[in-house]
Amino acid sequence: MKTHMFFLGKQGIRMLLLLVCVSIAAFFLVSVSPVDPLQANVGQAALGSMSPEQIEKLEAYWGVGEPPVQRFLAWASDFFRGDMGISLLYRRPVSGVIAEKFANSIWLLAIAWVVSGVLGFCLGALSGMKQGTWIDRLVKGYSLLIASTPAFWLALVLLMVFAVWLKILPVGLSVPIGMEAAGVTLADRVRHAILPALTLSITGVSNIALHTREKMIDICESDYVLFARARGESNWSIFKNHGFRNAILPALTLQFASISEIFGGSVLVEEIFSYPGLGQAAVTAGIGSDVPLLLGITVISAAIVFGGNLIANILYGLVDPRIRRGGGSL
Amino acid sequence: MRTHVLNGRVRTALWFSLAVLFLALITILGLVFAREAVVTDFSRKNLPPSSACIFGTDWMGRDMFVRTLAGLSMSIRIGLLAAGVSALLALLLGILSATMGKAVDSAVTWVIDLVMGIPHILLLILISYACGKGFRGVVIGVTLTHWTSLARVIRGEVLQLKEAPYIKVAGKLGLRPWQIAWKHMVPHLFPQFLVGLILLFPHAILHEASITFLGFGLSPEQPAIGVILSESMQYLAMGKWWLAVFPGLLLVLTVALFDVAGESLRKLLDPGSAHA
């Protein structure tokens, strides 16, 4: 038990240190940027017609001309107290903007993550157990094809088919246009999330399906499966008793490690479907030079990714009895 | 069992050459037609695909087929640079990490964790922003973010190699670490390095297209596949499907061909699976 706590503590500290480094790296990147926030947001023409005092005020607002280390320390100490600064584009606290966008995104991400994981595992397991048959070739072909397909193009095609031609699903946004927040029903929200979630699920399947397939082929060639066949176990009982247990652990680890990819996909997909989530906010912040928001989103999403990796590490101990008993050997 | 006229090795080699040939063709054609790709002709705007323009034309009367070729050629060239530098970086850091002792190893693995911890697209946005967007930002971004997984693989391989008798003997015979790395490890790692290099391409190209699509990459005047697809988005609702479908399909084909090339090279270089 003690070794367990030690392991968790060590992982937790590592994660915190990594987060600090991520924020330093991100801050470094935005502060070396030659992009002038005034030019990007106010425009050359408007700047030309302003008095020097006005420009000075604007420069103070966008933080031009302060030394980066000083700015970082100020930003970091505020961040630790829970104040992520004010978003320059939304003119609201960054934490509020992120909380709102995150609430929109989390549904999309969770649905896509679960659907792609379950579907990918089932397809991969099926294809691995039926190696060489048409099912196997279909699943493998699909996975390889999807691995080469950019998520944003798939999103465009789905948008074209379902929203433009068939007109059965809305083109974008998480709620109908011109409707009061109170009048939005759950059904509306679901309808608007279908296409983005579908895109992310379709693209997320391929990796996990291919890995599970490989694992399942290994398992089917093992001595214990040969022995199970000799005992006369059916395919289903071999899967239930041997295949599933051995294949689920790597699949789970992979799925938790793939949070980064699903989040990356959501940036593109949210932008295309103009779904007001974290990904779209990141793009808006990047294009509009909203440094506080961009930094906030980077740190939060890195925390989510590290959290996923941490869970994967812990799950390893929980799911596999060998690791659980010999906790110290990890 | 089906019987094949050609054995597995020859067929794999054939696939590899076909894929490489096709990709080279796209790259060269794109360069040759670079000027035609920007020719506007308002007498033929928004034409659906026909025998004259097999991919149709866009709102400025540009031939979409030529434009797509030029864009893909640009993507492949950016991919070539980014994947090449990325792979060299991976080789160097992988070997350093596994041979230079514990401190260097933890430093390198730390950087790998750091780079992998920020979602890829977000990191690309940050780097592109740091470089002031545009061409330079994309190339630097794609180069600096793709080396991590290959570096991990190479590090693992070198860790195993270090235990091999011939490496230990070389050490006892008085070779310096860098001599061992260069003379004994690099030749052994080369096949993996080469396959890893080619398999970096698909990612590099997809990420270049994605980041350009989002508006952080190449500028709108440049023929880039990301620009073509993001422009097409505005015309989707008007039913101009060919603007998105054909360039996208060709992009998928290009990426898939790099995969084919990488996988068949892996098979050829690994004697165990050469005849599978």
Side-chain angles (χ1 to χ4, degrees):
Chain A
M1 200 55 218
K2 213 172 172 186
T3 45
H4 243 92
M5 295 307 290
F6 180 68
F7 170 72
L8 274 184
K10 218 173 118 185
Q11 291 283 323
I13 291 171
R14 189 181 162 74
M15 182 176 147
L16 274 180
L17 278 176
L18 270 170
L19 269 181
V20 172
C21 285
V22 164
S23 63
I24 293 176
F27 202 91
F28 170 74
L29 284 174
V30 292
S31 53
V32 299
S33 171
V35 176
D36 182 358
L38 259 66
Q39 299 268 5
N41 285 291
V42 185
Q44 184 68 48
L47 274 180
S49 65
M50 279 180 192
S51 67
E53 292 88 57
Q54 275 175 312
I55 291 181
E56 214 165 90
K57 256 189 184 168
L58 281 172
E59 278 185 344
Y61 178 71
W62 294 93
V64 181
E66 242 180 284
V69 177
Q70 208 173 321
R71 257 186 323 183
F72 175 72
L73 289 178
W75 175 79
S77 67
D78 282 349
F79 196 96
F80 269 110
R81 275 181 266 131
D83 174 15
M84 302 189 196
I86 308 285
S87 162
L88 306 173
L89 290 172
Y90 292 89
R91 295 190 177 259
R92 277 165 41 206
V94 168
S95 46
V97 176
I98 290 183
E100 183 198 313
K101 305 282 173 189
F102 183 74
N104 284 333
S105 276
I106 190 70
W107 290 110
L108 202 62
L109 293 174
I111 292 171
W113 189 74
V114 171
V115 169
S116 66
V118 173
L119 200 66
F121 182 77
C122 293
L123 285 177
L126 187 70
S127 136
M129 290 196 70
K130 304 255 176 204
Q131 196 199 352
T133 62
W134 63 271
I135 301 178
D136 179 36
R137 252 172 290 169
L138 197 72
V139 172
K140 205 178 152 197
Y142 166 83
S143 303
L144 289 176
L145 184 69
I146 285 298
S148 305
T149 309
F152 64 95
W153 183 66
L154 190 70
L156 284 180
V157 172
L158 288 177
L159 189 71
M160 207 151 54
V161 172
F162 288 101
V164 179
W165 283 351
L166 301 177
K167 293 193 171 54
I168 50 175
L169 289 168
V171 174
L173 301 173
S174 73
V175 292
I177 299 171
M179 200 184 237
E180 271 183 64
V184 179
T185 59
L186 187 66
D188 280 329
R189 283 188 176 276
V190 170
R191 253 165 56 82
H192 282 262
I194 290 177
L195 277 184
L198 187 67
T199 315
L200 286 178
S201 309
I202 290 177
T203 48
V205 163
S206 94
N207 206 1
I208 185 139
L210 284 176
H211 273 89
T212 308
R213 176 178 174 274
E214 292 290 323
K215 184 76 196 165
M216 214 47 151
I217 290 173
D218 283 351
I219 292 170
C220 286
E221 282 166 0
S222 68
D223 290 342
Y224 55 82
V225 168
L226 186 68
F227 183 50
R229 283 199 199 285
R231 283 199 307 269
E233 280 192 44
S234 66
N235 266 339
W236 169 247
S237 93
I238 289 178
F239 172 74
K240 196 171 58 134
N241 296 330
H242 305 290
F244 180 77
R245 289 165 186 222
N246 282 299
I248 191 73
L249 186 60
L252 270 177
T253 315
L254 188 70
Q255 194 61 4
F256 272 102
S258 76
I259 289 181
S260 160
E261 263 167 61
I262 290 210
F263 185 87
S266 82
V267 173
L268 289 156
V269 168
E270 284 179 4
E271 179 68 12
I272 290 171
F273 293 105
S274 32
Y275 188 89
L278 219 46
Q280 202 203 18
V283 175
T284 317
I287 289 183
S289 303
D290 188 346
V291 172
L293 186 58
L294 193 57
L295 285 175
I297 292 176
T298 307
V299 175
I300 293 293
S301 58
I304 297 173
V305 171
F306 289 138
N309 292 343
L310 189 63
I311 293 175
N313 281 340
I314 295 169
L315 269 182
Y316 240 102
L318 283 182
V319 179
D320 192 333
R322 284 167 305 185
I323 299 176
R324 190 168 56 217
R325 267 185 226 123
S329 65
L330 200 71
Chain B
M1 274 310 281
R2 282 184 294 171
T3 49
H4 290 285
V5 185
L6 301 170
N7 71 32
R9 210 171 164 79
V10 175
R11 255 185 311 141
T12 315
L14 219 63
W15 270 114
F16 177 74
S17 335
L18 264 179
V20 171
L21 205 70
F22 196 87
L23 291 168
L25 196 71
I26 291 182
T27 316
I28 294 168
L29 279 183
L31 280 172
V32 170
F33 288 126
R35 204 167 297 155
E36 277 85 343
V38 290
V39 169
T40 53
D41 179 356
F42 287 93
S43 66
R44 49 161 205 191
K45 44 182 193 175
N46 293 328
L47 290 181
S50 62
S51 54
C53 304
I54 55 171
F55 282 13
T57 60
D58 67 0
W59 58 288
M60 278 163 67
R62 287 175 291 195
D63 187 328
M64 286 310 284
F65 180 62
V66 179
R67 244 189 120 198
T68 306
L69 276 184
L72 280 174
S73 168
M74 172 81 98
S75 287
I76 294 176
R77 278 175 288 142
I78 291 180
L80 200 68
L81 185 67
V85 177
S86 246
L88 280 177
L89 206 62
L91 183 69
L92 193 69
L93 287 175
I95 291 180
L96 276 185
S97 171
T99 52
M100 295 294 280
K102 213 164 170 180
V104 178
D105 185 34
S106 17
V108 172
T109 36
W110 182 263
V111 176
I112 292 179
D113 283 349
L114 193 64
V115 172
M116 284 186 143
I118 307 176
H120 207 139
I121 294 276
L122 210 52
L123 186 57
L124 284 171
I125 290 180
L126 279 171
I127 295 181
S128 157
Y129 183 78
C131 300
K133 298 168 190 172
F135 183 81
R136 223 162 51 107
V138 183
V139 176
I140 295 178
V142 177
T143 308
L144 286 186
T145 53
H146 281 86
W147 54 275
T148 46
S149 46
L150 184 59
R152 261 192 191 165
V153 171
I154 288 179
R155 172 177 171 271
E157 194 73 10
V158 174
L159 280 180
Q160 272 186 2
L161 263 185
K162 264 171 71 181
E163 299 305 314
Y166 75 98
I167 300 283
K168 297 215 155 174
V169 169
K172 291 282 180 224
L173 285 176
L175 283 187
R176 284 165 216 283
W178 62 267
Q179 282 176 316
I180 296 179
W182 181 248
K183 278 195 161 159
H184 293 299
M185 289 186 174
V186 172
H188 183 93
L189 294 170
F190 191 70
Q192 225 153 15
F193 168 75
L194 202 62
V195 173
L197 169 71
I198 296 181
L199 290 180
L200 273 179
F201 266 93
H203 291 276
I205 290 178
L206 283 183
H207 280 125
E208 181 269 317
S210 311
I211 199 79
T212 304
F213 180 84
L214 287 177
F216 291 92
L218 305 176
S219 55
E221 322 82 69
Q222 271 160 324
I225 198 81
V227 172
I228 293 176
L229 289 174
S230 85
E231 269 179 16
S232 78
M233 215 169 96
Q234 297 153 23
Y235 296 88
L236 273 190
M238 285 134 78
K240 309 213 184 323
W241 53 273
W242 61 88
L243 292 179
V245 170
F246 293 123
L249 279 177
L250 214 54
L251 173 63
V252 173
L253 182 70
T254 306
V255 173
L257 280 177
F258 270 113
D259 254 336
V260 168
E263 289 297 335
S264 40
L265 189 63
R266 184 210 297 280
K267 275 190 197 166
L268 284 176
L269 291 174
D270 173 17
S273 65
H275 298 277

